[in-house]
Amino acid sequence: MSDTIMATDAAPMAEPRTLPITFHGTGKEYFGIWIVNVLLTIVTLGIYSAWAKVRNKRYFNGNTELDGHRFDYHAEPVKILIGRILVVLFLVGIQVLQYLDPLFGIAALVLYVVILPWVIVRGLRFNANMTSYRNVRFHFRGRKRDALVAYIVWPIAAMLSFFTLVPFASRANARFLGNGHAYGIAHFSADPPLKPYYKALGIAVLVGFVGIGLIVGGAVAGVFEFSSDEGFLRDPEALLTPEHLQFLVMTYGLILISYIIIIIANFIYLARSRNIGFNNLHLEGGHEFRSTVTAGRLTWITLSNVILILLTLTLFTPWAKVRLARYLADNTQMIAVSELDNFVEGQIDETGVTSGEFLSIEGFDFGF
């Protein structure tokens, strides 16, 4: 438990201020941290990964600025290491039991579903408590039943409905994360409407159909071409002619473009969902938030990052992470109706480190 920070009442400002979030990190600077983290993690057979995580978090938090102040991260590497070891032992134990008795796989799946909401809540609580701004910690007080609804019930319902219920899952996720978090003793709140999510889904589906249409069209054209009298099936050497080589390039190019279109459709929904969530997020006291992420820019940054990481054999990773962090920061603002120095600290709970590492290892991402 921490000491309580006494706050003074701040008078409301004459007009709300739009406070941009700025990320000051650079790829060159972060590369030095990243490469040391990678090398030491390899040399220590993964033990240093806990210290690497803390260094990464502190770098990105410490380079994120709001209203002249930067964020901080307070987790202790030793506790993270212990939590990570426990998670690894748990996951390895499940794999061993499944190998010894395949029927245990069913029991493991049931156990996974049962404990997942509890793990999510505790993991989010730890991650929030380890983050601070102006020496005031964040908190998470979400309920396990809300986690169950947001991450199990609605996703399953969305899949069973051929993804027509995805907007309900997105709204449940925004409500769970928004209503569960607090800054000091001031609560966040979120209740986004359903209609914008369906609008985003409709646009994404229309764009996706274009991509699917190109794939189907290219496949059909290929079948007709190679089954024709002069095609590949009748004359395999015809594949070597300039006409057929040109056709193959055009066909595979069409398929590549179609996949890119489908990826863009996915990012259309992701970008619009982020904007909907942030634009309906409030902090006690009348503060609001804005997000202006665009699908086109987000797609370009993500795809170019992936290509450059592959071409550089992962060495571009630091620049990729910094590019994304800077873009998201540049497109996020806070609408403040009073000064931000009148918040009061709440009780700090450092439990949940194991749950936090479980979420990290399992690849859970709660949005950006």
Side-chain angles (χ1 to χ4, degrees):
M1 181 181 298
S2 71
D3 294 333
T4 299
I5 299 176
M6 301 304 295
T8 58
D9 293 333
M13 293 180 292
E15 293 183 1
R17 291 187 301 156
T18 298
L19 305 175
I21 296 179
T22 306
F23 184 75
H24 297 279
T26 65
K28 181 179 180 181
E29 184 181 58
Y30 179 53
F31 178 81
I33 296 174
W34 177 82
I35 193 66
V36 171
N37 285 345
V38 171
L39 294 176
L40 289 179
T41 298
I42 294 174
V43 170
T44 61
L45 302 179
I47 294 177
Y48 188 78
S49 64
W51 281 262
K53 177 178 180 177
V54 172
R55 291 187 70 197
N56 288 335
K57 287 277 191 179
R58 286 178 178 169
Y59 179 80
F60 281 92
N61 280 15
N63 279 285
T64 303
E65 180 180 320
L66 172 65
D67 195 27
H69 295 265
R70 302 193 181 192
F71 293 78
D72 201 357
Y73 187 72
H74 305 275
E76 298 178 15
V78 173
K79 292 184 178 180
I80 289 180
L81 177 62
I82 294 173
R84 187 162 291 183
I85 292 173
L86 292 175
V87 171
V88 171
L89 291 176
F90 173 75
L91 295 176
V92 170
I94 287 181
Q95 293 298 322
V96 172
L97 290 175
Q98 285 181 294
Y99 176 78
L100 296 176
D101 185 358
L103 292 178
F104 185 79
I106 299 176
L109 178 61
V110 174
L111 177 64
Y112 188 92
V113 173
V114 170
I115 69 171
L116 184 59
W118 178 80
V119 171
I120 288 175
V121 169
R122 287 179 61 85
L124 286 170
R125 184 179 302 158
F126 174 78
N127 290 330
N129 271 267
M130 294 301 103
T131 305
S132 69
Y133 172 71
R134 290 176 179 253
N135 296 319
V136 177
R137 302 282 186 107
F138 288 85
H139 304 276
F140 185 78
R141 300 182 178 88
R143 299 177 298 182
K144 291 183 284 294
R145 66 182 183 184
D146 293 330
L148 175 67
V149 171
Y151 295 105
I152 296 179
V153 175
W154 276 122
I156 292 176
M159 287 187 291
L160 294 177
S161 66
F162 299 98
F163 301 100
T164 58
L165 295 179
V166 165
F168 283 90
S170 299
R171 184 175 67 171
N173 178 68
R175 283 176 170 175
F176 172 69
L177 294 177
N179 295 327
H181 277 93
Y183 175 55
I185 62 174
H187 290 268
F188 288 90
S189 62
D191 189 19
L194 196 59
K195 184 177 178 179
Y197 285 112
Y198 267 106
K199 182 179 179 180
L201 180 63
I203 296 173
V205 168
L206 288 176
V207 173
F209 274 142
V210 174
I212 294 174
L214 289 175
I215 291 178
V216 173
V220 171
V223 170
F224 276 105
E225 173 68 16
F226 291 117
S227 62
S228 63
D229 291 339
E230 299 178 359
F232 171 69
L233 295 180
R234 301 280 281 181
D235 182 11
E237 294 184 0
L239 181 62
L240 301 178
T241 63
E243 292 78 9
H244 279 76
L245 290 176
Q246 183 180 5
F247 175 80
L248 285 174
V249 171
M250 292 179 60
T251 299
Y252 284 108
L254 194 65
I255 292 175
L256 177 62
I257 292 173
S258 66
Y259 279 123
I260 293 176
I261 292 175
I262 292 175
I263 292 173
I264 292 174
N266 180 58
F267 277 104
I268 286 174
Y269 188 77
L270 288 177
R272 286 177 171 260
S273 294
R274 183 189 195 269
N275 292 345
I276 295 167
F278 270 94
N279 294 341
N280 288 276
L281 179 65
H282 306 272
L283 177 60
E284 193 174 329
H287 307 286
E288 299 179 352
F289 297 86
R290 293 290 180 270
S291 174
T292 55
V293 168
T294 62
R297 186 62 179 167
L298 185 61
T299 304
W300 164 249
I301 290 175
T302 304
L303 290 181
S304 60
N305 279 348
V306 170
I307 293 173
L308 290 171
I309 287 173
L310 293 175
L311 292 177
T312 61
L313 302 178
T314 73
L315 292 178
F316 188 75
T317 299
W319 283 269
K321 291 184 176 181
V322 166
R323 286 181 73 200
L324 182 59
R326 180 178 292 115
Y327 176 71
L328 295 177
D330 289 344
N331 286 275
T332 308
Q333 301 88 35
M334 179 179 185
I335 314 300
V337 298
S338 63
E339 298 296 336
L340 301 183
D341 56 359
N342 62 330
F343 288 91
V344 178
E345 178 68 282
Q347 179 177 334
I348 297 175
D349 182 3
E350 296 191 9
T351 62
V353 60
T354 303
S355 298
E357 291 310 295
F358 179 87
L359 296 179
S360 178
I361 291 175
E362 287 293 277
F364 276 85
D365 185 3
F366 296 95
F368 43 81

